[in-house]
Each structure stands twice: as structure tokens, then as C-alpha cells.
Amino acid sequence: MEIVPEGKNFRLVTKDELPAVADILVQYMPESLKFHQTIQTYLNNKVWDFHFYVAKNWPEDPICLHFPGCTSTPNSHPYESVTIFCPSERADLVDLVTTEDILLDLTKPLYLNFTHEAIVNRFEKRYEAQDKITGDVYVCDNPPTDSNEQLPPDVELVRLQPEHMQAVHDLYPASDIECREVFEKLVAELPAYGIFVEGQLAAWMVQSYYGAMFSMQTRPEFRRKGYGIYLARRLTKEVAARGYKPFVMIRPENDASRSLYSKLGFEKRFRTVRAVLHPR
């Protein structure tokens, strides 16, 4: 599909402009962290084919978008899903999105990737948010130092490869949104590790295209053996060493993940929401 260079309120950013956009986003940390690190991984590894837009009055109007947002939508249309950043105290800038009738078809649902809850609240003035999922962003400012923790002799830590991704995707809880191709591209370019017990994949974790610690899963029969925190500590250190700020999104009801990451020094910063927005 043809990529639109300019909408009513937004313009497409060239690759050469992205470092300057990232520099502006730094002043809005930690809320801009996810968007900022998406730009980083795009420039460093081109993990996914994103199209970045800024407001025509950028940076005075500090709102930016990238399409697609979610990686799998009903019609696989690049402008059907979106990720948005603007400072929470400037949530009124969302009105530039809800009146954007060139890039977006305002008569159809919009798939919104994890976005600050203040932005979603502003959307709800004109949209009805359905299928809402919340996630709290936890950030690690001081990654853990080396640990003497060792795996048992019959357990092996392996750098994951694309051929491992079928097993990972089969057990990923949001496999209806993230297609297997996403995982294959991630592990081809970004750190990803699995723990194998007697040749069987028992637990895994990968770095996402937005720089987060992503998809840490342990098969039920291998839980309570310390594999999760071993992987999280290893990946936290590697993500930080690669120049990214380690962070995770944790469901509010997920006490186990919150406890695990708290032990590694992660602290809650704000709440995000993923939703399908239906015009009112």
C-alpha cells in the first residue's frame, strides 16, 4: 500500500530526521521511553517496517505516531493500528489524531497499541474503547551487577534462533495479535534467550522492537525453579549494555512478575492501555 507523506495534522518523518525526533523525546522520559526506544531499534536493527509521523507544528506540539502499532490487525492495513506518544499533561493533543481524516478512516475502528492511560482517556471523548488491556510500565534505572547464580548441570542457556519461535509463539498469551513472524524477526536481530532442560525449551525471554523486556514465559511444569529471574537478570544486563533502558509492562494482577522484577530493581512509572477504539 502507498505510504502517505502528509496528513491533515501530521507529516511523515524521514529516516535522517529520526535521531532529532529521539533527542526531543528524551525530555519527556519516562513517558516517552517506549516510543524513543522503538526509534532506537529501528535505526540500529530495522526490526520492523514502521512509518513515523510528527505533528506539523512539532516540536511545539509534541505528539508523534507510528504505524503500524499492533503488528496484526483484521485487514493488515498499515494505518489501521497506531502507537502514539504525547506528554500526559498535553493529552489535548490527541484531538489532532481524532480529527486526522487523511491518514485515518475516522468511521472505522482504530487499534491502539499500549499507550499512556491519559491519552486513552482523551480518546474516549470521541471513541468507545473496547477490549481494553492495561499494563503498568516498570523501569530499571540501575541494572543488576554480575551474579554468581549458576544453572544446574542438566540445564542450558541458549541464544534463541528463528527456528525456536514456533514453540515460543504457541504458548505466547497474545498470539492472536503478535504473529510468529514478529518473533522470528526479533530473535534474528535482538537478544533472546531460552533455558533448555534435557533438550526441551522450558523458559524464554526476548527484547522487543521497542527495547522492552518482552515475552518472558515459563512452561508450567518448570516453574518455581528460578529460571524466570535468571533470564530476566541476564537480559536486563544485556539490554542495558546495548544502550537501552530496561523496562517491562506488567498486568496489574500479575503479582508474580511484579515481585520478580521488583527484586531486580524495576520500579513502576505509569499505566498504559491497549484497546480497540470504535467511533461513537
Side-chain angles (χ1 to χ4, degrees), residues 7-48:
K8 177 182 178 182
N9 302 316
F10 296 89
R11 66 172 183 85
L12 184 66
V13 175
T14 67
K15 185 175 180 180
D16 290 344
E17 291 179 287
L18 284 174
V21 172
D23 287 344
I24 295 293
L25 291 175
V26 168
Q27 65 185 285
Y28 299 110
M29 292 289 188
E31 291 184 3
S32 62
L33 180 59
K34 182 171 181 282
F35 206 105
H36 181 271
Q37 294 196 162
T38 299
I39 292 177
Q40 277 188 277
T41 56
Y42 179 85
L43 291 173
N44 293 340
N45 301 97
K46 194 66 183 294
V47 176
W48 204 256

Side-chain angles (χ1 to χ4, degrees), residues 87-108:
S88 57
E89 69 271 16
R90 294 291 311 278
D92 59 289
L93 290 171
V94 171
D95 295 350
L96 294 175
V97 181
T98 58
T99 57
E100 175 54 67
D101 56 2
I102 297 177
L103 299 177
L104 301 176
D105 184 342
L106 301 178
T107 68
K108 294 183 178 179

Side-chain angles (χ1 to χ4, degrees), residues 7 30 36 62 64 66 74 89 110 135 156-157 163 165 181 212 230 252 265:
H36 181 271
C64 45
H66 73 67
E89 69 271 16
L110 182 63
E156 184 180 12
L157 179 73
E163 57 265 27
M165 289 302 101
E181 183 185 8
Y230 185 95

Side-chain angles (χ1 to χ4, degrees), residues 34-35 43 45 78 122 124 128 144 154-155 167 203-204 219 232 250 274:
K34 182 171 181 282
F35 206 105
L43 291 173
N45 301 97
R122 184 74 180 194
E124 290 187 292
E128 180 182 354
D154 60 339
V155 178
W204 58 88
R219 292 182 184 273
I250 302 175
R274 187 176 72 198

Side-chain angles (χ1 to χ4, degrees), residues 37 140 142-147 149 157-160 183 186-187 189-195 203-217 226-248 260-261 264 266:
Q37 294 196 162
C140 183
N142 298 295
T145 57
D146 288 339
S147 169
E149 191 175 359
L157 179 73
V158 175
R159 176 74 182 255
L160 293 177
F183 286 86
L186 288 176
V187 302
E189 297 289 342
L190 299 174
Y193 290 97
I195 286 180
W204 58 88
M205 191 172 196
V206 303
Q207 180 183 345
S208 173
Y209 63 79
Y210 46 85
M213 320 282 291
F214 175 67
S215 186
M216 197 266 281
Q217 303 285 327
Y227 298 156
I229 197 165
Y230 185 95
L231 282 171
R233 180 179 287 111
R234 174 63 180 262
L235 200 61
T236 297
K237 289 163 54 181
E238 186 159 345
V239 165
R242 288 166 58 88
Y244 297 93
K245 175 78 74 173
F247 78 100
V248 290
L260 184 155
Y261 285 105
L264 296 177
F266 285 73

